[in-house]
Amino acid sequence: MSQLWGGRFEGRPDPRFHAFQASLSVDQRLWREDIAGSIAWAHALARAEVILTDEAHSIEAGLRAIAAELEAQPALFAQSSAEDIHDFVESRLRSRIGDLARKLHTGRSRNDQVATDFRLNLRVLGAQIGLALEELQSALVQLAAKVADLPMPGYTHLQRAQPVTAGHFLLAYVEMLERDRERLQQALARMNVSPLGSGALAGTAFAVDREQLATELGFSRPTRNSLDAVSARDHAAELAFMAAQCMVHLSRFSEDCIFFASQEARFVRLSDAISTGSSLMPQKKNPDGFELLRGKSARVIGALQSLLVLQKGLPLAYDKDLQEDKELCFDALDTVRECLAVAAILVNNIAFDEARCRTEANKGYSNATDLADLLVRGGIPFRDAHERAGLVVRAAIERGIELDDLAAADRARLLPELVHLDDAAWRRELSVDAVLARRRVTGGTAPERVRAEAARWKALLHSRVPLAHVSAPVSRTSNPT
Ligand code: ARG
């Protein structure tokens, strides 16, 4: 029979039902937060003169001893039949300090307790994801600085469009990750409020100082509505969205890298350290790492979907459905943290095939826009210039040559406005380096821009203060009074 709620029950729970409704296997990872929250709650009860200061000290000492014990022997959970982490900690406290432990739950509910533990834990997990994001950004920026000048084909509709620099390609993903980081930071700030003192649903009946309690646990303030405090899980969905969007970014990056590493493109080479072979085909070298990043985005998107559906239609306030929140949210956040770390390893193990990138960037008429622009610079309206350049492309395709190779006679016929360009000047104007260099507008792909951007990112990442709250909450908790 549960020590937490057995009083009004005559019958014993069915063992299969107990196992079904228990959550220790998932919420055991909240133990540090549960203990920190309980220590703070004991302090608050003492300050409200609900328990004696000495009693609060004994409770705190017992809880700290349990923390030390769990730190040393995490296997203790496996032997426990406790319903959840709150049950686990309280019954362990009882065996340590006896009946005094029975005072700790005064004015508190597992509903405000789990809401508090979860927020505290997500804060730590969020900070770890923040670090993983920054490490991946650093890896990308470092590689981008190396290939800031390197031309490669740029695509729209997966058709060659205009050349870009490889550094520009990489920094595009740094931008995406930066927005993921902003979203993470904003979500963490928004959820950093303390539900403790909300009780089961209506607020505690004891005069605890919730502001002080919030401060002690590192929250910015207490929640303002107890019904909302015990039932809100939008912070879990918000973090899962952040994770899902970040995984979508990793998935798109993976897709690009998989294509770039293919025999068809051969723009990058994957080192052996991050490649796998085929059990059948001896020649194969497969990009499994990138494929897994792409694949794992599916489960994170699924977790976000589940977290939203979980909340839909739930009446206020707490409902046991909400117990499903943690497994989903942890899976999403653990996955994105792990994937970010692996993505950084992958980035450190790819190398651009510079000769191949440069050669291919010169092919496929991706300088046709610049031919039209040359006409525009000579005073021709863009629509007409576009038409004329299109005719020139068609002629080049018929001859099986690139625009650069078009003979002077053909140019004189098709492009009389450009007769002043001799062969060398014609090639120079349409060269990939000229095409790239022209795009030095803010946000453009010109090597000078990309070099400056890589340097800006390096400085920014170097001076960046990590998102807070990486340390375990137990050690930060202070004494009462
Ligand atoms: N294990 C529960 C959860 O994760 C804790 C809260 C239980 N509250 C209750 N009234 N049964 O949601």
Side-chain angles (χ1 to χ4, degrees), residues 278-314:
S278 158
S279 61
L280 176 67
M281 298 164 283
Q283 86 284 9
K284 288 298 291 291
K285 194 165 164 187
N286 293 330
D288 290 30
F290 288 110
E291 289 169 315
L292 268 174
L293 292 184
R294 194 175 58 185
K296 280 182 190 291
S297 65
R299 65 193 274 176
V300 179
I301 293 166
L304 168 62
Q305 157 95 345
S306 299
L307 278 164
L308 291 170
V309 179
L310 181 67
Q311 297 172 73
K312 176 188 173 299
L314 282 192

PDB file of all heavy atoms in Angstrom, residues 278-314:
ATOM      1  N   SER A 278      29.469  -1.411 -46.003  1.00  0.00           N
ATOM      2  CA  SER A 278      28.360  -2.326 -46.287  1.00  0.00           C
ATOM      3  C   SER A 278      28.821  -3.745 -46.003  1.00  0.00           C
ATOM      4  O   SER A 278      29.965  -4.098 -46.285  1.00  0.00           O
ATOM      5  CB  SER A 278      27.948  -2.184 -47.754  1.00  0.00           C
ATOM      6  OG  SER A 278      27.262  -3.356 -48.178  1.00  0.00           O
ATOM      7  N   SER A 279      27.920  -4.536 -45.439  1.00  0.00           N
ATOM      8  CA  SER A 279      28.275  -5.923 -45.136  1.00  0.00           C
ATOM      9  C   SER A 279      28.381  -6.748 -46.423  1.00  0.00           C
ATOM     10  O   SER A 279      28.997  -7.785 -46.445  1.00  0.00           O
ATOM     11  CB  SER A 279      27.232  -6.532 -44.202  1.00  0.00           C
ATOM     12  OG  SER A 279      25.969  -6.504 -44.845  1.00  0.00           O
ATOM     13  N   LEU A 280      27.784  -6.233 -47.471  1.00  0.00           N
ATOM     14  CA  LEU A 280      27.794  -6.987 -48.732  1.00  0.00           C
ATOM     15  C   LEU A 280      28.706  -6.364 -49.780  1.00  0.00           C
ATOM     16  O   LEU A 280      29.527  -7.025 -50.386  1.00  0.00           O
ATOM     17  CB  LEU A 280      26.356  -7.074 -49.278  1.00  0.00           C
ATOM     18  CG  LEU A 280      26.245  -7.754 -50.640  1.00  0.00           C
ATOM     19  CD1 LEU A 280      26.595  -9.232 -50.549  1.00  0.00           C
ATOM     20  CD2 LEU A 280      24.847  -7.590 -51.214  1.00  0.00           C
ATOM     21  N   MET A 281      28.572  -5.050 -49.959  1.00  0.00           N
ATOM     22  CA  MET A 281      29.252  -4.414 -51.085  1.00  0.00           C
ATOM     23  C   MET A 281      30.562  -3.792 -50.611  1.00  0.00           C
ATOM     24  O   MET A 281      30.567  -2.770 -49.907  1.00  0.00           O
ATOM     25  CB  MET A 281      28.337  -3.334 -51.681  1.00  0.00           C
ATOM     26  CG  MET A 281      27.042  -3.903 -52.233  1.00  0.00           C
ATOM     27  SD  MET A 281      25.784  -2.657 -52.501  1.00  0.00           S
ATOM     28  CE  MET A 281      25.193  -2.368 -50.851  1.00  0.00           C
ATOM     29  N   PRO A 282      31.665  -4.382 -50.995  1.00  0.00           N
ATOM     30  CA  PRO A 282      32.958  -3.991 -50.413  1.00  0.00           C
ATOM     31  C   PRO A 282      33.348  -2.542 -50.685  1.00  0.00           C
ATOM     32  O   PRO A 282      34.142  -1.975 -49.955  1.00  0.00           O
ATOM     33  CB  PRO A 282      33.945  -4.951 -51.076  1.00  0.00           C
ATOM     34  CG  PRO A 282      33.125  -6.045 -51.668  1.00  0.00           C
ATOM     35  CD  PRO A 282      31.779  -5.475 -51.957  1.00  0.00           C
ATOM     36  N   GLN A 283      32.827  -1.985 -51.774  1.00  0.00           N
ATOM     37  CA  GLN A 283      33.276  -0.631 -52.153  1.00  0.00           C
ATOM     38  C   GLN A 283      32.572   0.469 -51.375  1.00  0.00           C
ATOM     39  O   GLN A 283      32.988   1.626 -51.419  1.00  0.00           O
ATOM     40  CB  GLN A 283      33.037  -0.436 -53.664  1.00  0.00           C
ATOM     41  CG  GLN A 283      31.657   0.056 -54.077  1.00  0.00           C
ATOM     42  CD  GLN A 283      30.557  -1.010 -54.020  1.00  0.00           C
ATOM     43  OE1 GLN A 283      30.763  -2.111 -53.517  1.00  0.00           O
ATOM     44  NE2 GLN A 283      29.382  -0.659 -54.510  1.00  0.00           N
ATOM     45  N   LYS A 284      31.484   0.148 -50.642  1.00  0.00           N
ATOM     46  CA  LYS A 284      30.615   1.190 -50.090  1.00  0.00           C
ATOM     47  C   LYS A 284      31.238   1.940 -48.921  1.00  0.00           C
ATOM     48  O   LYS A 284      31.924   1.385 -48.087  1.00  0.00           O
ATOM     49  CB  LYS A 284      29.297   0.579 -49.595  1.00  0.00           C
ATOM     50  CG  LYS A 284      28.348   0.108 -50.664  1.00  0.00           C
ATOM     51  CD  LYS A 284      27.846   1.210 -51.599  1.00  0.00           C
ATOM     52  CE  LYS A 284      26.916   2.201 -50.936  1.00  0.00           C
ATOM     53  NZ  LYS A 284      25.635   1.627 -50.595  1.00  0.00           N
ATOM     54  N   LYS A 285      30.917   3.229 -48.868  1.00  0.00           N
ATOM     55  CA  LYS A 285      31.247   4.061 -47.714  1.00  0.00           C
ATOM     56  C   LYS A 285      29.997   4.905 -47.496  1.00  0.00           C
ATOM     57  O   LYS A 285      29.655   5.740 -48.333  1.00  0.00           O
ATOM     58  CB  LYS A 285      32.456   4.933 -48.034  1.00  0.00           C
ATOM     59  CG  LYS A 285      33.076   5.564 -46.826  1.00  0.00           C
ATOM     60  CD  LYS A 285      34.463   6.119 -47.154  1.00  0.00           C
ATOM     61  CE  LYS A 285      34.890   7.075 -46.079  1.00  0.00           C
ATOM     62  NZ  LYS A 285      36.124   7.776 -46.407  1.00  0.00           N
ATOM     63  N   ASN A 286      29.297   4.657 -46.398  1.00  0.00           N
ATOM     64  CA  ASN A 286      27.963   5.245 -46.239  1.00  0.00           C
ATOM     65  C   ASN A 286      27.930   6.372 -45.201  1.00  0.00           C
ATOM     66  O   ASN A 286      28.642   6.306 -44.199  1.00  0.00           O
ATOM     67  CB  ASN A 286      26.965   4.155 -45.825  1.00  0.00           C
ATOM     68  CG  ASN A 286      26.755   3.132 -46.927  1.00  0.00           C
ATOM     69  OD1 ASN A 286      26.864   3.457 -48.111  1.00  0.00           O
ATOM     70  ND2 ASN A 286      26.475   1.909 -46.533  1.00  0.00           N
ATOM     71  N   PRO A 287      27.060   7.355 -45.434  1.00  0.00           N
ATOM     72  CA  PRO A 287      26.973   8.493 -44.498  1.00  0.00           C
ATOM     73  C   PRO A 287      25.945   8.248 -43.395  1.00  0.00           C
ATOM     74  O   PRO A 287      25.068   9.066 -43.164  1.00  0.00           O
ATOM     75  CB  PRO A 287      26.546   9.639 -45.421  1.00  0.00           C
ATOM     76  CG  PRO A 287      25.678   8.964 -46.457  1.00  0.00           C
ATOM     77  CD  PRO A 287      26.218   7.575 -46.634  1.00  0.00           C
ATOM     78  N   ASP A 288      26.055   7.117 -42.689  1.00  0.00           N
ATOM     79  CA  ASP A 288      25.030   6.744 -41.692  1.00  0.00           C
ATOM     80  C   ASP A 288      24.787   7.815 -40.635  1.00  0.00           C
ATOM     81  O   ASP A 288      23.667   7.966 -40.153  1.00  0.00           O
ATOM     82  CB  ASP A 288      25.426   5.457 -40.959  1.00  0.00           C
ATOM     83  CG  ASP A 288      25.342   4.235 -41.863  1.00  0.00           C
ATOM     84  OD1 ASP A 288      25.539   4.405 -43.082  1.00  0.00           O
ATOM     85  OD2 ASP A 288      25.111   3.138 -41.340  1.00  0.00           O
ATOM     86  N   GLY A 289      25.846   8.502 -40.236  1.00  0.00           N
ATOM     87  CA  GLY A 289      25.700   9.514 -39.182  1.00  0.00           C
ATOM     88  C   GLY A 289      24.681  10.572 -39.597  1.00  0.00           C
ATOM     89  O   GLY A 289      23.752  10.898 -38.849  1.00  0.00           O
ATOM     90  N   PHE A 290      24.847  11.072 -40.794  1.00  0.00           N
ATOM     91  CA  PHE A 290      23.913  12.099 -41.276  1.00  0.00           C
ATOM     92  C   PHE A 290      22.510  11.525 -41.453  1.00  0.00           C
ATOM     93  O   PHE A 290      21.506  12.191 -41.186  1.00  0.00           O
ATOM     94  CB  PHE A 290      24.415  12.698 -42.591  1.00  0.00           C
ATOM     95  CG  PHE A 290      25.618  13.592 -42.414  1.00  0.00           C
ATOM     96  CD1 PHE A 290      26.875  13.218 -42.878  1.00  0.00           C
ATOM     97  CD2 PHE A 290      25.491  14.807 -41.755  1.00  0.00           C
ATOM     98  CE1 PHE A 290      27.975  14.042 -42.695  1.00  0.00           C
ATOM     99  CE2 PHE A 290      26.595  15.641 -41.572  1.00  0.00           C
ATOM    100  CZ  PHE A 290      27.842  15.251 -42.045  1.00  0.00           C
ATOM    101  N   GLU A 291      22.470  10.283 -41.920  1.00  0.00           N
ATOM    102  CA  GLU A 291      21.146   9.669 -42.111  1.00  0.00           C
ATOM    103  C   GLU A 291      20.422   9.495 -40.780  1.00  0.00           C
ATOM    104  O   GLU A 291      19.201   9.680 -40.683  1.00  0.00           O
ATOM    105  CB  GLU A 291      21.298   8.320 -42.820  1.00  0.00           C
ATOM    106  CG  GLU A 291      21.702   8.505 -44.277  1.00  0.00           C
ATOM    107  CD  GLU A 291      22.120   7.206 -44.937  1.00  0.00           C
ATOM    108  OE1 GLU A 291      22.881   6.432 -44.339  1.00  0.00           O
ATOM    109  OE2 GLU A 291      21.697   6.957 -46.058  1.00  0.00           O
ATOM    110  N   LEU A 292      21.184   9.172 -39.745  1.00  0.00           N
ATOM    111  CA  LEU A 292      20.552   9.013 -38.429  1.00  0.00           C
ATOM    112  C   LEU A 292      20.068  10.352 -37.869  1.00  0.00           C
ATOM    113  O   LEU A 292      19.006  10.435 -37.249  1.00  0.00           O
ATOM    114  CB  LEU A 292      21.535   8.378 -37.442  1.00  0.00           C
ATOM    115  CG  LEU A 292      21.459   6.855 -37.367  1.00  0.00           C
ATOM    116  CD1 LEU A 292      22.569   6.331 -36.466  1.00  0.00           C
ATOM    117  CD2 LEU A 292      20.097   6.411 -36.835  1.00  0.00           C
ATOM    118  N   LEU A 293      20.845  11.406 -38.102  1.00  0.00           N
ATOM    119  CA  LEU A 293      20.385  12.731 -37.662  1.00  0.00           C
ATOM    120  C   LEU A 293      19.055  13.056 -38.339  1.00  0.00           C
ATOM    121  O   LEU A 293      18.116  13.539 -37.707  1.00  0.00           O
ATOM    122  CB  LEU A 293      21.402  13.816 -38.011  1.00  0.00           C
ATOM    123  CG  LEU A 293      22.750  13.819 -37.293  1.00  0.00           C
ATOM    124  CD1 LEU A 293      23.556  15.040 -37.723  1.00  0.00           C
ATOM    125  CD2 LEU A 293      22.565  13.833 -35.785  1.00  0.00           C
ATOM    126  N   ARG A 294      19.014  12.762 -39.637  1.00  0.00           N
ATOM    127  CA  ARG A 294      17.787  13.018 -40.400  1.00  0.00           C
ATOM    128  C   ARG A 294      16.655  12.151 -39.856  1.00  0.00           C
ATOM    129  O   ARG A 294      15.541  12.610 -39.655  1.00  0.00           O
ATOM    130  CB  ARG A 294      18.071  12.715 -41.876  1.00  0.00           C
ATOM    131  CG  ARG A 294      17.059  13.223 -42.860  1.00  0.00           C
ATOM    132  CD  ARG A 294      17.519  12.958 -44.291  1.00  0.00           C
ATOM    133  NE  ARG A 294      17.760  11.541 -44.529  1.00  0.00           N
ATOM    134  CZ  ARG A 294      18.266  11.036 -45.668  1.00  0.00           C
ATOM    135  NH1 ARG A 294      18.582  11.840 -46.660  1.00  0.00           N
ATOM    136  NH2 ARG A 294      18.457   9.746 -45.803  1.00  0.00           N
ATOM    137  N   GLY A 295      16.971  10.897 -39.559  1.00  0.00           N
ATOM    138  CA  GLY A 295      15.946   9.976 -39.058  1.00  0.00           C
ATOM    139  C   GLY A 295      15.453  10.351 -37.673  1.00  0.00           C
ATOM    140  O   GLY A 295      14.247  10.273 -37.378  1.00  0.00           O
ATOM    141  N   LYS A 296      16.375  10.775 -36.818  1.00  0.00           N
ATOM    142  CA  LYS A 296      15.964  11.068 -35.445  1.00  0.00           C
ATOM    143  C   LYS A 296      15.106  12.329 -35.359  1.00  0.00           C
ATOM    144  O   LYS A 296      14.416  12.545 -34.367  1.00  0.00           O
ATOM    145  CB  LYS A 296      17.198  11.183 -34.538  1.00  0.00           C
ATOM    146  CG  LYS A 296      17.734   9.808 -34.133  1.00  0.00           C
ATOM    147  CD  LYS A 296      18.919   9.899 -33.207  1.00  0.00           C
ATOM    148  CE  LYS A 296      19.583   8.553 -33.000  1.00  0.00           C
ATOM    149  NZ  LYS A 296      18.760   7.590 -32.234  1.00  0.00           N
ATOM    150  N   SER A 297      15.156  13.151 -36.396  1.00  0.00           N
ATOM    151  CA  SER A 297      14.270  14.321 -36.379  1.00  0.00           C
ATOM    152  C   SER A 297      12.817  13.844 -36.307  1.00  0.00           C
ATOM    153  O   SER A 297      11.972  14.498 -35.702  1.00  0.00           O
ATOM    154  CB  SER A 297      14.505  15.200 -37.609  1.00  0.00           C
ATOM    155  OG  SER A 297      14.141  14.512 -38.783  1.00  0.00           O
ATOM    156  N   ALA A 298      12.531  12.681 -36.881  1.00  0.00           N
ATOM    157  CA  ALA A 298      11.149  12.183 -36.901  1.00  0.00           C
ATOM    158  C   ALA A 298      10.625  11.953 -35.485  1.00  0.00           C
ATOM    159  O   ALA A 298       9.493  12.327 -35.162  1.00  0.00           O
ATOM    160  CB  ALA A 298      11.087  10.883 -37.702  1.00  0.00           C
ATOM    161  N   ARG A 299      11.451  11.357 -34.621  1.00  0.00           N
ATOM    162  CA  ARG A 299      10.918  11.067 -33.285  1.00  0.00           C
ATOM    163  C   ARG A 299      10.757  12.329 -32.453  1.00  0.00           C
ATOM    164  O   ARG A 299       9.872  12.424 -31.606  1.00  0.00           O
ATOM    165  CB  ARG A 299      11.761  10.025 -32.566  1.00  0.00           C
ATOM    166  CG  ARG A 299      13.172  10.473 -32.244  1.00  0.00           C
ATOM    167  CD  ARG A 299      14.011   9.295 -31.835  1.00  0.00           C
ATOM    168  NE  ARG A 299      13.879   9.026 -30.396  1.00  0.00           N
ATOM    169  CZ  ARG A 299      14.448   8.001 -29.809  1.00  0.00           C
ATOM    170  NH1 ARG A 299      15.144   7.138 -30.518  1.00  0.00           N
ATOM    171  NH2 ARG A 299      14.334   7.843 -28.510  1.00  0.00           N
ATOM    172  N   VAL A 300      11.608  13.318 -32.702  1.00  0.00           N
ATOM    173  CA  VAL A 300      11.476  14.559 -31.936  1.00  0.00           C
ATOM    174  C   VAL A 300      10.226  15.324 -32.381  1.00  0.00           C
ATOM    175  O   VAL A 300       9.487  15.869 -31.556  1.00  0.00           O
ATOM    176  CB  VAL A 300      12.760  15.425 -32.065  1.00  0.00           C
ATOM    177  CG1 VAL A 300      12.617  16.724 -31.306  1.00  0.00           C
ATOM    178  CG2 VAL A 300      13.962  14.639 -31.547  1.00  0.00           C
ATOM    179  N   ILE A 301       9.975  15.322 -33.677  1.00  0.00           N
ATOM    180  CA  ILE A 301       8.743  15.933 -34.180  1.00  0.00           C
ATOM    181  C   ILE A 301       7.544  15.188 -33.591  1.00  0.00           C
ATOM    182  O   ILE A 301       6.545  15.795 -33.182  1.00  0.00           O
ATOM    183  CB  ILE A 301       8.711  15.900 -35.726  1.00  0.00           C
ATOM    184  CG1 ILE A 301       9.809  16.811 -36.295  1.00  0.00           C
ATOM    185  CG2 ILE A 301       7.352  16.333 -36.255  1.00  0.00           C
ATOM    186  CD1 ILE A 301      10.096  16.605 -37.770  1.00  0.00           C
ATOM    187  N   GLY A 302       7.661  13.875 -33.489  1.00  0.00           N
ATOM    188  CA  GLY A 302       6.595  13.062 -32.894  1.00  0.00           C
ATOM    189  C   GLY A 302       6.364  13.409 -31.436  1.00  0.00           C
ATOM    190  O   GLY A 302       5.210  13.484 -30.976  1.00  0.00           O
ATOM    191  N   ALA A 303       7.440  13.655 -30.701  1.00  0.00           N
ATOM    192  CA  ALA A 303       7.302  14.002 -29.281  1.00  0.00           C
ATOM    193  C   ALA A 303       6.579  15.342 -29.129  1.00  0.00           C
ATOM    194  O   ALA A 303       5.723  15.507 -28.245  1.00  0.00           O
ATOM    195  CB  ALA A 303       8.681  14.060 -28.615  1.00  0.00           C
ATOM    196  N   LEU A 304       6.911  16.292 -29.992  1.00  0.00           N
ATOM    197  CA  LEU A 304       6.223  17.588 -29.939  1.00  0.00           C
ATOM    198  C   LEU A 304       4.729  17.396 -30.185  1.00  0.00           C
ATOM    199  O   LEU A 304       3.887  17.918 -29.437  1.00  0.00           O
ATOM    200  CB  LEU A 304       6.813  18.540 -30.989  1.00  0.00           C
ATOM    201  CG  LEU A 304       6.012  19.814 -31.251  1.00  0.00           C
ATOM    202  CD1 LEU A 304       5.906  20.679 -29.995  1.00  0.00           C
ATOM    203  CD2 LEU A 304       6.616  20.621 -32.392  1.00  0.00           C
ATOM    204  N   GLN A 305       4.423  16.637 -31.218  1.00  0.00           N
ATOM    205  CA  GLN A 305       3.018  16.355 -31.546  1.00  0.00           C
ATOM    206  C   GLN A 305       2.315  15.717 -30.352  1.00  0.00           C
ATOM    207  O   GLN A 305       1.215  16.115 -29.957  1.00  0.00           O
ATOM    208  CB  GLN A 305       3.025  15.415 -32.773  1.00  0.00           C
ATOM    209  CG  GLN A 305       1.801  14.583 -32.956  1.00  0.00           C
ATOM    210  CD  GLN A 305       0.831  15.242 -33.907  1.00  0.00           C
ATOM    211  OE1 GLN A 305       0.949  16.423 -34.198  1.00  0.00           O
ATOM    212  NE2 GLN A 305      -0.141  14.507 -34.374  1.00  0.00           N
ATOM    213  N   SER A 306       2.962  14.736 -29.731  1.00  0.00           N
ATOM    214  CA  SER A 306       2.346  14.033 -28.597  1.00  0.00           C
ATOM    215  C   SER A 306       2.143  14.973 -27.413  1.00  0.00           C
ATOM    216  O   SER A 306       1.118  14.889 -26.723  1.00  0.00           O
ATOM    217  CB  SER A 306       3.223  12.860 -28.172  1.00  0.00           C
ATOM    218  OG  SER A 306       3.357  11.946 -29.226  1.00  0.00           O
ATOM    219  N   LEU A 307       3.106  15.841 -27.163  1.00  0.00           N
ATOM    220  CA  LEU A 307       2.969  16.762 -26.029  1.00  0.00           C
ATOM    221  C   LEU A 307       1.792  17.716 -26.226  1.00  0.00           C
ATOM    222  O   LEU A 307       1.105  18.084 -25.271  1.00  0.00           O
ATOM    223  CB  LEU A 307       4.262  17.561 -25.825  1.00  0.00           C
ATOM    224  CG  LEU A 307       5.351  16.819 -25.049  1.00  0.00           C
ATOM    225  CD1 LEU A 307       6.700  17.495 -25.218  1.00  0.00           C
ATOM    226  CD2 LEU A 307       4.986  16.740 -23.561  1.00  0.00           C
ATOM    227  N   LEU A 308       1.559  18.103 -27.462  1.00  0.00           N
ATOM    228  CA  LEU A 308       0.419  18.992 -27.728  1.00  0.00           C
ATOM    229  C   LEU A 308      -0.897  18.233 -27.565  1.00  0.00           C
ATOM    230  O   LEU A 308      -1.828  18.712 -26.925  1.00  0.00           O
ATOM    231  CB  LEU A 308       0.530  19.581 -29.145  1.00  0.00           C
ATOM    232  CG  LEU A 308       1.663  20.583 -29.350  1.00  0.00           C
ATOM    233  CD1 LEU A 308       1.828  20.915 -30.820  1.00  0.00           C
ATOM    234  CD2 LEU A 308       1.424  21.851 -28.540  1.00  0.00           C
ATOM    235  N   VAL A 309      -0.949  17.046 -28.133  1.00  0.00           N
ATOM    236  CA  VAL A 309      -2.183  16.263 -28.045  1.00  0.00           C
ATOM    237  C   VAL A 309      -2.464  15.876 -26.593  1.00  0.00           C
ATOM    238  O   VAL A 309      -3.617  15.830 -26.166  1.00  0.00           O
ATOM    239  CB  VAL A 309      -2.098  15.010 -28.948  1.00  0.00           C
ATOM    240  CG1 VAL A 309      -3.367  14.186 -28.838  1.00  0.00           C
ATOM    241  CG2 VAL A 309      -1.868  15.413 -30.394  1.00  0.00           C
ATOM    242  N   LEU A 310      -1.393  15.631 -25.833  1.00  0.00           N
ATOM    243  CA  LEU A 310      -1.528  15.279 -24.419  1.00  0.00           C
ATOM    244  C   LEU A 310      -2.296  16.350 -23.642  1.00  0.00           C
ATOM    245  O   LEU A 310      -3.079  16.050 -22.747  1.00  0.00           O
ATOM    246  CB  LEU A 310      -0.120  15.115 -23.828  1.00  0.00           C
ATOM    247  CG  LEU A 310      -0.007  14.720 -22.369  1.00  0.00           C
ATOM    248  CD1 LEU A 310      -0.517  13.302 -22.174  1.00  0.00           C
ATOM    249  CD2 LEU A 310       1.442  14.807 -21.903  1.00  0.00           C
ATOM    250  N   GLN A 311      -2.072  17.603 -23.982  1.00  0.00           N
ATOM    251  CA  GLN A 311      -2.686  18.692 -23.218  1.00  0.00           C
ATOM    252  C   GLN A 311      -4.089  19.047 -23.703  1.00  0.00           C
ATOM    253  O   GLN A 311      -4.908  19.571 -22.939  1.00  0.00           O
ATOM    254  CB  GLN A 311      -1.821  19.958 -23.325  1.00  0.00           C
ATOM    255  CG  GLN A 311      -0.445  19.801 -22.719  1.00  0.00           C
ATOM    256  CD  GLN A 311       0.431  21.002 -23.011  1.00  0.00           C
ATOM    257  OE1 GLN A 311       0.235  22.066 -22.437  1.00  0.00           O
ATOM    258  NE2 GLN A 311       1.387  20.842 -23.899  1.00  0.00           N
ATOM    259  N   LYS A 312      -4.319  18.709 -24.974  1.00  0.00           N
ATOM    260  CA  LYS A 312      -5.584  19.094 -25.587  1.00  0.00           C
ATOM    261  C   LYS A 312      -6.740  18.406 -24.854  1.00  0.00           C
ATOM    262  O   LYS A 312      -6.751  17.216 -24.656  1.00  0.00           O
ATOM    263  CB  LYS A 312      -5.587  18.655 -27.051  1.00  0.00           C
ATOM    264  CG  LYS A 312      -6.865  18.894 -27.784  1.00  0.00           C
ATOM    265  CD  LYS A 312      -6.784  18.246 -29.152  1.00  0.00           C
ATOM    266  CE  LYS A 312      -8.102  18.323 -29.861  1.00  0.00           C
ATOM    267  NZ  LYS A 312      -9.168  17.635 -29.133  1.00  0.00           N
ATOM    268  N   GLY A 313      -7.708  19.189 -24.451  1.00  0.00           N
ATOM    269  CA  GLY A 313      -8.903  18.603 -23.863  1.00  0.00           C
ATOM    270  C   GLY A 313      -8.781  18.234 -22.400  1.00  0.00           C
ATOM    271  O   GLY A 313      -9.730  17.688 -21.832  1.00  0.00           O
ATOM    272  N   LEU A 314      -7.652  18.505 -21.750  1.00  0.00           N
ATOM    273  CA  LEU A 314      -7.528  18.190 -20.318  1.00  0.00           C
ATOM    274  C   LEU A 314      -8.241  19.251 -19.490  1.00  0.00           C
ATOM    275  O   LEU A 314      -7.962  20.439 -19.645  1.00  0.00           O
ATOM    276  CB  LEU A 314      -6.062  18.171 -19.888  1.00  0.00           C
ATOM    277  CG  LEU A 314      -5.223  16.950 -20.224  1.00  0.00           C
ATOM    278  CD1 LEU A 314      -3.911  17.018 -19.453  1.00  0.00           C
ATOM    279  CD2 LEU A 314      -5.954  15.664 -19.888  1.00  0.00           C
TER     280      LEU A 314
END
